[in-house]
Amino acid sequence: MQAAAAGFALGLSLIVAIGAQNAFVLRQGLRREHVLPVVLVCALSDAVLIAAGVAGFGLLASQLPGLETVMRWLGAAFLMWYGARTLLAAWRGGAALRAERDPGNGSLRRALLTCFALTWLNPHVYLDTVMLLGAVSSQYENRLHFGLGAVSASLFFFFALGFGARLLAPVFARPVAWRVLDLGIGLTMWLIAAKLLIG
């Protein structure tokens, strides 16, 4: 239980920070659009990465220093593009920011592709989830329980964020709230991209 609790606490502390992925999940939750598939993609992706770290595959990234650079540039490029798209939506306002589902602009395929990109093109996810959690797990005799604790934290957080966002629905009934949210998301993504490029 001690290893599982430590894994849960560390996993939650790493994932709670607002980033591009969390902002996307929040937006999907507020729109009530493909929430379950998006949440599952995030949580299952985390589970795979955590398992890789706990199993010792974090060593691979340390042996291939060029891998981090490639992932950094790819991630920054994607975040710049997605941030610009979100800022443009904030500027335009209107129908694209309605809280109800919009089948024309919010396809499941587009949501899942965006979710995969925000998850797997982010080099920080490899540093935090794979290498850091992998390194810390080695301090515990029962690494499996540590990993299960970290995976549980990811599941808890993403489900709470995705489905708990509905509690904020009254606030986002006003179009101006959506514009502010999109502005914040777009700027957050550009800030993360800048940090990736600066190193």
Side-chain angles (χ1 to χ4, degrees):
M1 283 303 294
Q2 183 182 0
F8 186 93
L10 181 57
L12 193 61
S13 67
L14 288 175
I15 203 171
V16 161
I18 292 297
Q21 183 191 51
N22 293 349
F24 179 73
V25 174
L26 176 63
R27 192 174 196 282
Q28 292 298 113
L30 288 169
R31 291 174 65 98
R32 302 184 185 187
E33 190 172 76
H34 313 303
V35 180
L36 182 59
V38 165
V39 164
L40 285 175
V41 164
C42 291
L44 292 176
S45 294
D46 260 16
V48 169
L49 291 164
I50 291 167
V54 172
F57 294 146
L59 203 56
L60 178 65
S62 64
Q63 299 300 318
L64 298 172
L67 182 63
E68 182 189 347
T69 302
V70 171
M71 292 306 299
R72 179 184 299 153
W73 282 96
L74 285 175
F78 176 78
L79 289 172
M80 289 296 290
W81 171 80
Y82 195 85
R85 189 168 167 265
T86 306
L87 289 171
L88 183 61
W91 174 263
R92 289 177 177 170
L97 298 180
R98 290 196 306 263
E100 64 268 16
R101 291 185 59 179
D102 184 356
N105 291 324
S107 71
L108 175 61
R109 180 176 178 273
R110 179 178 294 180
L112 292 182
L113 285 176
T114 301
C115 190
F116 273 113
L118 288 172
T119 302
W120 293 92
L121 290 180
N122 179 5
H124 286 300
V125 79
Y126 298 98
L127 295 174
D128 292 345
T129 309
V130 178
M131 297 191 70
L132 181 59
L133 281 174
V136 174
S137 71
S138 65
Q139 301 174 9
Y140 293 90
E141 185 176 341
N142 198 326
R143 297 173 71 184
L144 174 62
H145 286 173
F146 180 91
L148 289 175
V151 169
S152 299
S154 179
L155 282 167
F156 168 78
F157 176 77
F158 282 118
F159 272 86
L161 182 64
F163 290 101
R166 296 180 181 187
L167 299 175
L168 298 174
V171 175
F172 287 92
R174 297 174 295 165
V176 67
W178 280 99
R179 297 183 80 165
V180 170
L181 177 66
D182 273 339
L183 178 64
I185 291 173
L187 292 177
T188 297
M189 291 184 179
W190 276 11
L191 180 62
I192 294 170
K195 286 182 177 179
L196 289 178
L197 293 174
I198 292 171

